[in-house]
């Protein structure tokens, strides 16, 4: 502990510290504050107030000086950043030099360095996992067995779904358990046609409406959060001033703040977690570098939740060294930073659709159709492990008649006519975690805050390549059966990490020799430190992972509070 007076130490001491304010950090803050714990929430980026800090939320296309495109001189300020590089989303992009990292192999690391993190940037898809996913590693012989099963987390899925507001149908599919749903958004006619064709030709392939975190019929709990019904503007990535979709900013953080127990500290770059050498098996606090002054300071607490996003949480733990843990906090197994995995979105299939010209859509769809995993579900049937889900979206374009001059041309441009229908699909594949896909700290280079740079070393495997090929073949077959024309399938060969869902490095498990976290997301060897973001994931499944992060976090936070009351922490 730094050389401080008793009063100074008291001012820096809380019941709990949450590192990160994104989708899992917001849930940790809500649960801990709601249980009466004075909680410090640390966010490395700037503050973003719901409703007032979404500068482009209500702008029209003509309000942007370059119609959304960015001039080259502005793009240069963001270096190799590949995300949110448009005028309407530039507020979320990371400038060159903010946190450089070393790509030993190409890896796209998308970050959300602002209050709310990537909860303002996500696709809002919220599919539950099933035991086909939790039992997968043990059944198929990779990674390690998950220490939990669906029954352990099912009540927490329901808990977060009711608060967040999830729309969807009860589809009755074992690989995609039903939940606590608001009324669904509807499939359009082309998506429904594909659904009917699959039902006629396959027993195990389904198209459903993707469950999503949009308020289709707000309940009293949502109005208490100050949120309103989704207006289907589909401008979600700019930030929704209505709170029509779930974000930390609109939901969990204000809820935590209203308890009077939350202290939110933006511009706080976490350096490391302080191991308590006098109380073995416990951490005493967190070292923070002030984002403005670069001054190091310490905060103390009985419970620490690490929710900095998967790779950042790995970095913090690797940099938390002590005489007890010279290779990173809790890292007796030597596995910290290893078995990094992500989702495989490389496959794309598109086609043209004939017919349905007497139909069109009414309004916009903030979600999409969803084809749950069907490969290797009940038995191993291919030459690759695991499987993939698929997004499906049909739409109808417009045609503008650009013939003529003057008033006739203007009238034609202002009255576009419906064009032909088209359909597209995108792959959502599970990557199998392997030890050589890892992150570690660079031994020489440091960032502007004096923190070692993170080295990413991860690549695709033969299993991933085979899965992409199978996706393209199977979707082409299904599109052909549906009568779609001019079908095009392609492999983007994008770099790993391109679709945000990086996971692992601090995986859960039953044995401290083969995992970092137990079934309650506690570090095996440092019981008052909990990791509940993507870093904790033992495997990736095919579903979007955010709902599972939220459920794991709420479950772990309630366990932590109960353990604290029992004086076990």
């Amino acid at each position: 502990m730094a050389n401080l007076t008793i009063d100074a130490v008291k001012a820096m001491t809380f019941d709990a510290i949450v590192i990160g304010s994104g989708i899992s950090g917001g849930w940790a803050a809500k649960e801990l504050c709601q249980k009466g714990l004075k909680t410090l929430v640390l966010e490395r980026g700037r503050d973003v107030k719901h409703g007032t800090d979404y500068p482009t939320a209500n702008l029209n296309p003509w309000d942007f000086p370059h119609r959304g495109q960015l001039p080259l001189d502005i793009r240069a300020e963001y270096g190799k950043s590949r995300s949110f590089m448009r005028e309407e989303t530039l507020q979320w992009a990371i400038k060159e030099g903010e946190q450089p990292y070393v790509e030993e192999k190409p890896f796209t690391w998308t970050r959300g360095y602002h209050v709310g993190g990537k909860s303002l940037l996500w696709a809002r898809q919220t599919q539950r996992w099933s035991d086909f996913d939790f039992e997968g590693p043990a059944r198929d012989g990779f990674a390690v067995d998950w220490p939990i099963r669906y029954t352990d987390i099912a009540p927490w899925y329901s808990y977060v779904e009711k608060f967040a507001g999830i729309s969807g149908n009860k589809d009755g599919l074992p690989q995609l358990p039903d939940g606590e749903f608001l009324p669904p958004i509807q499939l359009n006619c082309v998506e429904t046609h594909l659904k009917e064709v699959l039902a006629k030709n396959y027993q195990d392939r389904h198209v459903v409406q993707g469950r999503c975190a949009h308020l289709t019929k707000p309940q009293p709990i949502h109005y208490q959060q100050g949120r309103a019904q989704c207006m289907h503007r589909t401008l979600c990535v700019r930030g929704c001033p209505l709170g029509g979709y779930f974000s930390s900013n609109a939901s969990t953080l204000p809820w935590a703040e209203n308890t009077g127990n939350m202290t939110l500290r933006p511009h706080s770059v976490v350096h490391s977690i302080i191991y308590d050498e006098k109380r073995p098996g416990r951490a005493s606090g967190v070292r923070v570098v002030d984002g403005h002054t670069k001054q190091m300071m310490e905060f103390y607490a009985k419970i620490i939740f690490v929710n900095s996003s998967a790779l950042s949480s790995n970095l913090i733990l690797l940099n938390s060294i002590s005489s007890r843990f010279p290779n990173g906090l809790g890292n007796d197994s030597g596995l910290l930073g290893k078995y990094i995995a992500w989702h495989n979105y490389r496959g794309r299939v598109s086609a043209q659709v004939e017919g349905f010209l007497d139909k069109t859509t009414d309004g916009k769809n903030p979600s999409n159709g969803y084809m749950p995993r069907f490969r290797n579900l009940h038995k191993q049937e291919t030459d690759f492990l695991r499987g993939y889900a698929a997004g499906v979206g049909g739409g109808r374009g417009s045609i503008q008649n650009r013939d003529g001059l003057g008033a006739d041309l203007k009238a034609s441009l202002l009255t576009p006519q419906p064009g032909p229908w088209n359909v597209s699909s995108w792959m959502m594949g599970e990557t199998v975690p392997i030890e050589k896909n890892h992150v570690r700290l660079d031994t020489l280079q440091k960032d502007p805050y004096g923190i070692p740079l993170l080295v990413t070393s991860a690549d695709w495997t033969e299993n991933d390549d085979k899965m992409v090929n199978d996706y393209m073949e199977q979707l082409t077959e299904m599109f052909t059966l549906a009568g779609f024309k001019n079908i095009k399938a392609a492999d983007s060969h994008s770099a790993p990490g391109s679709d945000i869902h990086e996971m692992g490095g601090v995986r859960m498990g039953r044995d401290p020799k083969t995992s970092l976290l137990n079934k309650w997301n506690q570090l095996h060897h440092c019981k008052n430190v909990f990791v509940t973001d993507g870093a904790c994931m033992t495997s990736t499944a095919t579903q979007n992972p955010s709902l599972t992060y939220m459920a794991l976090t709420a479950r772990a936070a309630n366990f932590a509070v109960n353990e604290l009351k029992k004086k076990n922490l």
Side-chain angles (χ1 to χ4, degrees):
M1 185 174 291
N3 187 22
L4 300 172
T5 66
I6 293 177
D7 287 343
V9 171
K10 186 177 180 181
M12 310 293 269
T13 301
F14 299 81
D15 295 321
I17 294 174
V18 177
I19 303 172
S21 63
I23 210 157
S24 63
W27 268 98
K30 170 190 172 291
E31 295 301 307
L32 296 171
C33 290
Q34 197 169 270
K35 298 288 185 182
L37 271 59
K38 296 294 184 184
T39 302
L40 173 65
V41 179
L42 297 169
E43 166 55 50
R44 71 172 288 149
R46 62 188 171 86
D47 197 4
V48 173
K49 296 293 186 188
H50 174 61
T52 59
D53 286 338
Y54 307 143
T56 61
N58 293 316
L59 296 185
N60 291 300
W62 53 87
D63 294 323
F64 295 98
H66 307 94
R67 299 296 186 266
Q69 299 296 322
L70 288 170
L72 293 178
D73 58 333
I74 293 179
R75 295 187 72 89
E77 296 177 19
Y78 293 83
K80 63 181 180 182
S81 178
R82 304 151 197 162
S83 303
F84 315 110
M85 296 302 292
R86 288 186 56 82
E87 286 182 312
E88 58 265 37
T89 55
L90 189 62
Q91 63 269 27
W92 313 131
I94 305 294
K95 284 195 173 183
E96 182 81 352
E98 166 58 28
Q99 191 193 21
Y101 63 103
V102 180
E103 294 176 80
E104 198 164 70
K105 300 173 183 175
F107 190 93
T108 301
W109 185 13
T110 300
R111 289 151 287 176
Y113 286 164
H114 46 261
V115 168
K118 289 188 279 189
S119 78
L120 289 171
L121 315 176
W122 66 318
R124 290 110 32 225
Q125 290 292 298
T126 45
Q127 329 299 338
R128 289 189 181 198
W129 286 31
S130 74
D131 272 338
F132 290 105
D133 308 302
F134 289 112
E135 295 177 357
R139 190 195 77 166
D140 293 342
F142 67 94
V144 294
D145 189 13
W146 277 86
I148 60 173
R149 291 293 184 264
Y150 179 71
T151 53
D152 295 307
I153 196 172
W156 296 98
Y157 274 137
S158 294
Y159 180 73
V160 300
E161 284 168 345
K162 290 176 182 174
F163 189 83
I166 306 298
S167 74
N169 283 302
K170 291 185 181 295
D171 299 297
L173 302 175
Q175 69 271 43
L176 196 72
D178 295 329
E180 311 293 333
F181 297 146
L182 302 173
I185 297 167
Q186 300 296 323
L187 297 172
N188 65 37
C189 59
V190 169
E191 295 158 353
T192 300
H193 169 69
L194 180 61
K195 175 187 176 79
E196 293 169 349
V197 169
L198 297 193
K200 183 178 179 181
N201 290 277
Y202 304 93
Q203 293 184 340
D204 59 351
R205 304 186 186 189
H206 310 273
V207 172
V208 303
Q209 177 62 52
R211 290 85 181 261
C212 61
H214 286 258
L215 296 182
T216 52
K217 185 178 181 181
Q219 301 300 299
I221 188 64
H222 306 126
Y223 289 126
Q224 291 172 35
Q225 297 168 37
R227 299 168 58 196
Q229 184 168 337
C230 172
M231 294 288 106
H232 293 213
R233 302 184 331 143
T234 64
L235 302 176
C236 312
V237 75
R238 303 181 188 185
C240 180
L242 305 171
Y245 71 83
F246 173 86
S247 69
S248 297
N249 309 65
S251 183
T252 47
L253 290 177
W255 196 270
E257 186 175 30
N258 288 340
T259 66
N261 291 325
M262 184 179 78
T263 300
L264 175 63
R265 194 178 196 282
H267 303 293
S268 299
V269 181
V270 172
H271 175 279
S272 55
I273 295 171
I274 306 165
Y275 184 67
D276 192 339
E277 302 283 0
K278 297 179 180 177
R279 301 182 69 210
R282 288 175 173 78
S284 60
V286 175
R287 294 188 189 88
V288 171
V289 179
D290 186 279
H292 293 305
T293 66
K294 305 291 196 297
Q295 187 177 24
M296 181 86 80
M297 57 189 69
E298 296 182 353
F299 297 95
Y300 311 103
K302 301 169 187 171
I303 296 173
I304 299 167
F305 268 70
V306 185
N307 301 93
S308 189
S309 82
L311 298 193
S312 287
S313 292
N314 273 274
L315 188 160
I316 290 168
L317 292 172
L318 286 165
N319 200 39
S320 301
I321 57 175
S322 61
S323 58
R324 169 66 181 86
F325 294 111
N327 299 312
L329 187 64
N331 191 20
D332 283 359
S333 65
L335 295 175
L336 180 58
K338 298 180 179 178
Y339 293 94
I340 296 293
W342 55 91
H343 276 154
N344 182 350
Y345 276 53
R346 283 167 41 188
R348 294 280 192 278
V349 179
S350 62
Q352 295 176 341
V353 182
E354 294 181 345
F356 305 102
L357 297 180
D358 58 337
K359 298 180 175 63
T360 187
T361 53
D362 182 13
K364 299 178 180 179
N365 185 351
S367 183
N368 51 259
Y370 181 81
M371 190 182 300
R373 176 185 160 204
F374 56 90
R375 278 305 207 197
N376 303 324
L377 200 58
H378 297 282
K379 62 180 181 179
Q380 184 64 38
E381 59 186 352
T382 70
D383 62 349
F384 59 86
L385 280 180
R386 311 302 291 163
Y388 50 82
V392 178
R396 192 173 186 186
S398 62
I399 297 174
Q400 286 180 325
N401 182 358
R402 301 192 177 192
D403 294 335
L405 294 170
D408 292 340
L409 175 59
K410 183 178 180 180
S412 296
L413 294 177
L414 291 175
T415 54
Q417 299 301 307
W421 286 87
N422 53 67
V423 64
S424 61
S425 173
W426 51 99
M427 175 187 179
M428 307 164 72
E430 176 172 357
T431 62
V432 174
I434 57 175
E435 185 171 4
K436 74 176 184 179
N437 283 338
H438 72 280
V439 295
R440 65 179 190 275
L441 299 185
D442 192 282
T443 56
L444 299 175
Q445 302 180 78
K446 295 186 177 181
D447 69 12
Y449 308 98
I451 298 171
L453 300 192
L454 191 71
V455 179
T456 59
S457 182
D459 207 348
W460 301 108
T461 67
E462 184 181 6
N463 197 71
D464 301 318
D465 295 337
K466 290 180 177 178
M467 194 182 295
V468 173
N469 289 333
D470 188 76
Y471 161 82
M472 292 191 295
E473 291 173 4
Q474 295 305 311
L475 264 293
T476 297
E477 176 184 295
M478 288 184 268
F479 276 18
T480 301
L481 286 170
F484 301 154
K485 305 297 183 184
N486 195 22
I487 300 170
K488 297 179 180 178
D491 179 351
S492 70
H493 296 287
S494 59
S498 298
D499 295 284
I500 296 184
H501 300 166
E502 62 270 10
M503 290 176 251
V506 197
R507 69 184 182 187
M508 298 172 70
R510 303 176 190 276
D511 186 348
K513 295 179 180 176
T514 59
S515 62
L516 277 298
L517 304 169
N518 68 13
K519 66 179 181 180
W520 298 108
N521 294 79
Q522 285 174 291
L523 280 175
H524 287 301
H525 300 298
C526 196
K527 297 292 187 184
N528 64 337
V529 175
F530 295 78
V531 183
T532 63
D533 61 12
C536 78
M537 304 298 273
T538 305
S539 60
T540 72
T542 59
Q543 298 91 323
N544 305 63
S546 297
L547 183 72
T548 301
Y549 300 166
M550 291 191 264
L552 287 173
T553 302
R555 178 176 180 267
N558 281 268
F559 171 80
V561 172
N562 289 334
E563 288 296 287
L564 194 62
K565 289 178 180 176
K566 297 175 185 174
K567 302 186 184 302
N568 290 336
L569 295 178

